[in-house]
Amino acid sequence: MALAAWSERVLELVLKMNNLQHAGCLPFCVQGQRVGWVTQPVLQVLLQSSDIFTLYKEDSGARLELSDRLRTPHERTRAVQEVMEALRGRGVFPCLQEWRDELYDVKTFFSDPPLLSMERAATPLLGVSRCGVHVNGFLRRGADIFMWIARRSLTKPNYPGKLDHLAAGGISAGSGVWETLLKECTEEACIPESLASKARPAGTVSYAYEKKDALYLERQFVFDLEVPESFQPYVGDGEVQEFYLWPLDKVRDAIATQEFKPNCALVVLDFLIRNGHIQPDEGPGCLIFR
């Protein structure tokens, strides 16, 4: 792929995954703490559908509050879940059709105790931040780096058949970062804990975008796992159909295509930059650093 075309396509990806404009969005608060955002269309549906949400208008601006009569995380979780299940049954918002029966914790900061938990598919309606873990699996052959890439199962509800990380997954309610890393490594790629535990934290990759009135605010905890030449991942829980070991040049080209799951492409881009495979003043990286 021509270098200029690669840069343009990756820049398009970066802008697509960071297109969120707060204009017109209102803060969503629980117990006086902002934990998300809502668009005007979602706001109107929520206010018409339930009395657990209240709109406050003050000189400092408007905000959507979850009712104070819901005093415990359990009560808030149950009340919000009932509203979202009802909206799902009415087919009001497309994101609810991706229902997972998987809860995510809602909190102001990642280290805080949860204020409530929400169905994963419903979190974009309240603009609640979602966290996950992504593992860059790689090996060295002399001066060259190769990366393990997964292809998602064709039966996955979202992005079926797309390219993905060696292991990745969302942090569900009550789980921690390392717990999720070890779980996903074992389930998706059959990586033994003795090897997965050698993964090293490499920072976070965050992005925020809007799609069909839903707000996706996501933060991925990124880990680099250097594996030996003898390592071979195996399909575990069926979420992956096969694995490839590719040189970084091939990986670099792939993230500029429609073949890669978009958020995974961003995490891989971060890996390429951190490892000096993309330079800010030369080659294919010139435009994405502007």
Side-chain angles (χ1 to χ4, degrees):
M1 182 183 301
L3 298 184
W6 183 93
S7 290
E8 290 286 0
R9 291 181 183 179
V10 171
L11 181 59
E12 289 176 6
L13 168 68
V14 172
L15 295 177
K16 177 182 178 181
M17 296 296 287
N18 289 277
N19 68 5
L20 182 59
Q21 302 293 326
H22 281 130
C25 296
L26 297 186
F28 168 59
C29 302
V30 179
Q31 296 291 291
Q33 302 178 56
R34 186 189 65 75
V35 295
W37 299 89
V38 291
T39 62
Q40 290 293 332
V42 172
L43 174 69
Q44 297 306 317
V45 171
L46 292 178
L47 294 176
Q48 294 169 7
S49 303
S50 173
D51 63 354
I52 69 169
F53 297 101
T54 303
L55 177 63
Y56 288 93
K57 295 183 178 179
E58 300 173 341
D59 292 341
S60 58
R63 70 184 187 279
L64 182 68
E65 284 267 6
L66 190 62
S67 174
D68 284 340
R69 74 171 184 270
L70 304 170
R71 298 184 178 277
T72 68
H74 176 73
E75 290 176 344
R76 298 178 200 124
T77 297
R78 184 174 60 184
V80 172
Q81 186 80 348
E82 289 176 354
V83 172
M84 296 303 168
E85 287 178 344
L87 294 177
R88 177 194 181 196
R90 290 163 51 192
V92 179
F93 297 108
C95 66
L96 294 180
Q97 302 313 308
E98 299 176 8
W99 199 271
R100 302 287 192 89
D101 288 321
E102 178 183 3
L103 296 178
Y104 275 19
D105 284 333
V106 178
K107 33 187 157 178
T108 307
F109 298 103
F110 184 77
S111 59
D112 290 345
L115 295 166
L116 72 151
S117 299
M118 281 186 65
E119 157 62 34
R120 175 176 179 172
T123 53
L125 295 182
L126 296 178
V128 169
S129 178
R130 309 194 299 190
C131 295
V133 173
H134 282 238
V135 180
N136 295 305
F138 70 99
L139 63 83
R140 301 180 191 272
R141 290 176 178 168
D144 297 324
I145 297 177
F146 291 73
M147 179 176 278
W148 280 103
I149 300 296
R151 185 174 295 281
R152 295 164 66 84
S153 169
L154 293 175
T155 62
K156 290 283 288 182
N158 58 342
Y159 301 104
K162 297 296 184 181
L163 298 175
D164 203 330
H165 273 96
L166 174 64
I171 301 176
S172 57
S175 298
V177 175
W178 275 102
E179 178 185 356
T180 301
L181 182 149
L182 296 175
K183 170 179 173 290
E184 296 298 336
C185 282
T186 299
E187 293 181 353
E188 294 189 356
C190 298
I191 304 172
E193 184 173 333
S194 58
L195 177 58
S197 62
K198 296 180 180 179
R200 293 295 174 259
T204 61
V205 171
S206 301
Y207 46 90
Y209 61 95
E210 182 176 354
K211 184 172 68 173
K212 297 180 181 178
D213 297 324
L215 306 177
Y216 294 79
L217 290 81
E218 302 190 351
R219 179 168 67 252
Q220 307 301 342
F221 290 89
V222 179
F223 289 79
D224 292 344
L225 175 61
E226 185 169 359
V227 300
E229 185 73 45
S230 60
F231 170 76
Q232 174 65 53
Y234 296 97
V235 174
D237 57 9
E239 294 193 8
V240 172
Q241 58 176 308
E242 57 185 325
F243 296 95
Y244 314 112
L245 181 62
W246 285 354
L248 286 193
D249 280 348
K250 185 170 183 178
V251 176
R252 181 197 65 197
D253 288 345
I255 65 173
T257 70
Q258 299 297 317
E259 281 292 289
F260 242 99
K261 187 170 179 274
N263 67 330
C264 296
L266 291 183
V267 177
V268 171
L269 176 63
D270 171 71
F271 179 89
L272 296 174
I273 293 172
R274 287 189 288 106
N275 285 273
H277 203 71
I278 296 176
Q279 298 293 334
D281 57 355
E282 62 182 25
C286 56
L287 289 182
I288 62 172
F289 284 93
R290 76 184 188 187

